[in-house]
Amino acid sequence: MSIPSAVKSTPIRGRQQLADYLAAGEKPREAWRIGTEHEKFGFRTDDLMPPPFEGERGIRALLEGIATRYGWDIAREGEIPVALSRDKANITLEPAGQLELSGAPLETIHQTCCEVNQHLEEVRSVADGMGLGFLGMGFQPKWRRDEMPWMPKGRYKIMREYMPRVGQLGLDMMTRTCTVQVNLDFSSEADMVKKFRTSLALQPVATALFADSPFTEGRPNGYLSYRSQIWTDTDPDRTGMLDFVFADGFGYERYVDYILDVPMYFSYQDGRYIDLAGQDFKRFLAGELPTLPGVHATMKDFADHLTTAFPEVRLKQYLEMRGADGGPWNRLCALPAFWVGLLYDDEALDAAWDLVKDFNRVERHALRDGVPKHALKLPFRGGTLRDLAEEALKIAGHGLKRRARLNRHGADESIFLEPLVEIVQANQTPAERKLELFHGPWRGSVDPVFREFAY
């Protein structure tokens, strides 16, 4: 969501102003929308290497080709094209050239799925002529970190230098992971709190259902969602399960307090990124940063700072569900269906909250910490996480049926849950299926994944 230009330069006078900014995201039910984002790995079809930024077969040429052929506007840093925009959708670059579609805010999952399909067709039509393909998985299955390219974005240069100071795997998060997420609305502070708590407690279920990152550098890595595991050693100041969300009195102001405690990465001033990595946003509010003496943070700085926290669920002027590995086309539609079914129908939201409201802190963390390795087979309360996933899917399905948003064939949005229902019924995650292929028909090679699972 872009900030109106009149707001960007507004000085921040106090904490309440920041809470009010979050509250400004409140919308009546009829204005609730669905924003789906997904990332994917590019590869050269001849040698499977990730494409660099420059060159005839590079990411820059791909962006310019998509823009020319399909009417996207190019956004630049200096002279360098770094993103595309069209209507309310954007195509952006992750640090190693992973291509991300940040979809427009849409009313139904049917529209979301059409948007994803059109995007993948546009990308493929340009990429094919360049000898490029794209793969949806949670973690780069073949190449080492030092073999991944870096995109020339100022923000990423700052993060690249800072990450090794605060965790072991931050650079892997940047260069070798891909996710799919959905952004959803709320009507009031109480509605936000209930949705935040419910989705945060259930985020490990999404991680399990979408687990699709079992390989590192061509070999099994011992995890089903290694992408999820990477977040546990990226930066403890800005990741995790946010226990305070479940505490009495949680609301916009408490989230503001959390964000103000997250160390900074940067401030975007006069068209360039100023490196403020590790510095205190509260000192920025007071105009006391040694790097920017006398410069006070604006609302644009706060909006940027909100994007530098990476918890399992993130609050901006909407809620972001952040727990899933990237995957194929049908799972890019299944993730918004899962969360819309749970959170956009009152009866479903009540049922989903009933499912998790008595989880204690130890249980929530046990789910989060255990799911990267065990996914659906993680023991939980006398059963396994699969039992919880099965119940959550039923609730989501009923929620989507009650929403009754039909396509032209008369089908409601619950059709998009089918891939997840199949995963639960088989008790086999996408990662476990790929491991089966690796040890069987693929004969110990990950190379076939680029052919059999490309978009």
Side-chain angles (χ1 to χ4, degrees):
M1 181 182 296
S2 60
I3 309 173
S5 53
V7 175
K8 287 182 180 179
S9 57
T10 304
I12 298 170
R13 304 295 183 197
R15 176 169 164 268
Q16 187 59 47
Q17 189 179 348
L18 306 180
D20 291 344
Y21 173 79
L22 297 176
E26 293 174 3
K27 294 179 178 65
R29 182 183 297 271
E30 60 271 18
W32 290 356
R33 295 293 181 266
I34 305 158
T36 306
E37 304 180 18
H38 81 272
E39 303 159 356
K40 48 204 166 291
F41 295 108
F43 62 92
R44 299 191 300 220
T45 51
D46 50 356
D47 62 8
L48 307 183
M49 284 288 291
F53 184 72
E54 300 289 2
E56 288 183 8
R57 299 172 68 191
I59 294 293
R60 178 179 192 150
L62 177 73
L63 285 179
E64 291 172 341
I66 294 169
T68 300
R69 191 175 302 182
Y70 294 106
W72 291 78
D73 295 322
I74 299 178
R76 301 178 187 273
E77 264 185 41
E79 298 300 311
I80 300 171
V82 293
L84 307 178
S85 63
R86 186 179 67 192
D87 300 324
K88 292 184 178 180
N90 297 286
I91 298 173
T92 55
L93 298 179
E94 291 300 296
Q98 307 98 307
L99 206 64
E100 176 175 358
L101 173 69
S102 298
L106 301 171
E107 291 187 47
T108 72
I109 315 294
H110 305 297
Q111 293 170 338
T112 291
C113 228
C114 288
E115 176 189 56
V116 168
N117 199 36
Q118 180 183 358
H119 166 74
L120 292 175
E121 285 180 3
E122 289 182 4
V123 171
R124 185 166 52 236
S125 73
V126 177
D128 279 352
M130 300 171 65
L132 299 178
F134 281 88
L135 171 70
M137 282 184 74
F139 190 77
Q140 162 60 247
K142 184 174 175 69
W143 303 107
R144 298 189 311 270
R145 184 197 292 174
D146 61 7
E147 292 172 310
M148 303 302 291
W150 281 89
M151 299 298 104
K153 293 177 72 170
R155 172 181 180 141
Y156 295 154
K157 180 178 185 297
I158 292 167
M159 293 172 66
R160 180 182 185 178
E161 292 170 0
Y162 180 69
M163 284 289 183
R165 291 190 247 158
V166 291
Q168 297 299 308
L169 300 177
L171 296 180
D172 287 319
M173 179 278 290
M174 294 179 71
T175 60
R176 294 202 286 177
T177 65
C178 282
T179 187
V180 52
Q181 69 179 53
V182 62
N183 306 325
L184 298 176
D185 291 313
F186 45 83
S187 61
S188 66
E189 186 168 39
D191 186 46
M192 180 278 291
V193 170
K194 189 171 184 179
K195 286 174 175 171
F196 204 148
R197 289 172 173 167
T198 303
S199 59
L200 192 54
L202 282 174
Q203 211 60 221
V205 170
T207 302
L209 289 168
F210 286 78
D212 197 359
S213 40
F215 304 118
T216 300
E217 296 163 22
R219 304 295 304 169
N221 55 33
Y223 292 89
L224 300 176
S225 177
Y226 188 54
R227 181 206 61 84
S228 181
Q229 179 64 20
I230 278 171
W231 281 110
T232 67
D233 194 3
T234 291
D235 182 346
D237 288 326
R238 62 186 83 239
T239 58
M241 287 294 280
L242 306 189
D243 295 320
F244 65 85
V245 169
F246 298 94
D248 290 346
F250 172 69
Y252 300 130
E253 290 188 31
R254 180 64 187 87
Y255 195 81
V256 166
D257 291 342
Y258 159 70
I259 285 293
L260 293 181
D261 284 337
V262 171
M264 294 185 68
Y265 280 150
F266 61 82
S267 176
Y268 192 66
Q269 304 271 340
D270 301 321
R272 65 191 183 97
Y273 287 93
I274 308 297
D275 186 347
L276 301 172
Q279 297 193 43
D280 186 341
F281 197 90
K282 292 191 284 294
R283 292 192 67 189
F284 193 17
L285 293 177
E288 296 174 353
L289 288 183
T291 316
L292 293 172
V295 177
H296 293 259
T298 66
M299 289 306 297
K300 172 66 164 63
D301 290 309
F302 180 68
D304 285 343
H305 189 55
L306 282 170
T307 70
T308 68
F310 308 122
E312 296 293 294
V313 177
R314 179 164 67 184
L315 175 63
K316 295 200 273 194
Q317 288 183 322
Y318 44 85
L319 285 165
E320 299 180 352
M321 309 296 132
R322 298 174 48 81
D325 286 5
W329 175 81
N330 64 357
R331 290 208 305 277
L332 302 182
C333 306
L335 185 84
F338 179 69
W339 289 115
V340 167
L342 291 172
L343 303 182
Y344 271 15
D345 173 78
D346 287 345
E347 197 174 321
L349 180 56
D350 285 343
W353 176 236
D354 283 343
L355 200 58
V356 300
K357 66 185 179 186
D358 68 336
F359 289 8
N360 60 42
R361 179 188 180 280
V362 171
E363 288 177 316
R364 288 193 299 268
H365 282 262
L367 288 172
R368 167 65 186 93
D369 295 342
V371 81
K373 186 177 282 284
H374 302 289
L376 294 173
K377 297 177 178 68
L378 179 67
F380 184 68
R381 289 193 170 184
T384 64
L385 187 66
R386 179 193 183 193
D387 304 321
L388 191 58
E390 198 167 32
E391 194 57 37
L393 278 171
K394 284 179 190 170
I395 294 169
H398 291 314
L400 293 172
K401 287 182 185 301
R402 280 189 296 271
R403 257 172 64 85
R405 304 299 178 91
L406 309 181
N407 65 14
R408 56 195 174 90
H409 304 296
D412 64 56
E413 297 162 308
S414 64
I415 58 173
F416 297 112
L417 294 177
E418 279 306 310
L420 306 184
V421 172
E422 290 171 12
I423 286 165
V424 164
Q425 287 176 344
N427 200 22
Q428 185 184 52
T429 61
E432 288 165 309
R433 172 66 183 139
K434 286 186 174 68
L435 286 167
E436 201 174 69
L437 292 167
F438 176 86
H439 292 296
W442 294 353
R443 298 182 179 182
S445 171
V446 298
D447 289 4
V449 81
F450 292 91
R451 179 179 66 252
E452 295 184 27
F453 289 91
Y455 289 113

